[in-house]
Amino acid sequence: MAEKKEQSLEDQSLEEIFSDLEQTIKEMEDGEISLDESFRLYHQGMDMLKACNSKIDKVEKKMLLLDEEGEEHEF
């Protein structure tokens, strides 16, 4: 897991980020962590969500739609 954290969010796949996010949520649900650690994990999770949204936006922009005449148009 340490290797993934060293890898920037931009370089990770959506699946890797979702996996890390799931682990972060489990850590937060543990209940045995300090308030400071909870805030750190919360901000880490929010950064992961922003990276996911950015990756999804890029994919959506690359998608093409076919109109009624079968011509391609960018999404």
Side-chain angles (χ1 to χ4, degrees):
M1 178 97 161
E3 289 180 19
K4 287 184 181 179
K5 290 187 179 182
E6 291 177 9
Q7 187 179 14
S8 74
L9 290 173
E10 293 88 26
D11 296 334
Q12 289 183 316
S13 69
L14 278 173
E15 292 81 7
E16 291 172 325
I17 298 172
F18 283 138
S19 176
D20 289 348
L21 185 57
E22 186 175 340
Q23 181 62 37
T24 299
I25 292 168
K26 286 179 183 177
E27 289 178 43
M28 290 180 72
E29 292 176 339
D30 182 19
E32 297 295 322
I33 59 174
S34 68
L35 186 58
D36 287 337
E37 182 67 4
S38 293
F39 282 126
R40 185 189 71 75
L41 290 171
Y42 171 80
H43 287 288
Q44 181 179 328
M46 292 305 294
D47 289 341
M48 288 182 217
L49 286 174
K50 288 177 188 175
C52 288
N53 283 334
S54 176
K55 287 180 178 290
I56 291 169
D57 285 346
K58 287 178 185 177
V59 170
E60 286 179 343
K61 288 178 183 175
K62 291 180 181 179
M63 291 177 59
L64 298 176
L65 295 177
L66 294 176
D67 65 15
E68 293 173 0
E69 298 170 3
E71 295 180 13
E72 294 180 347
H73 300 277
E74 289 191 30
F75 185 70

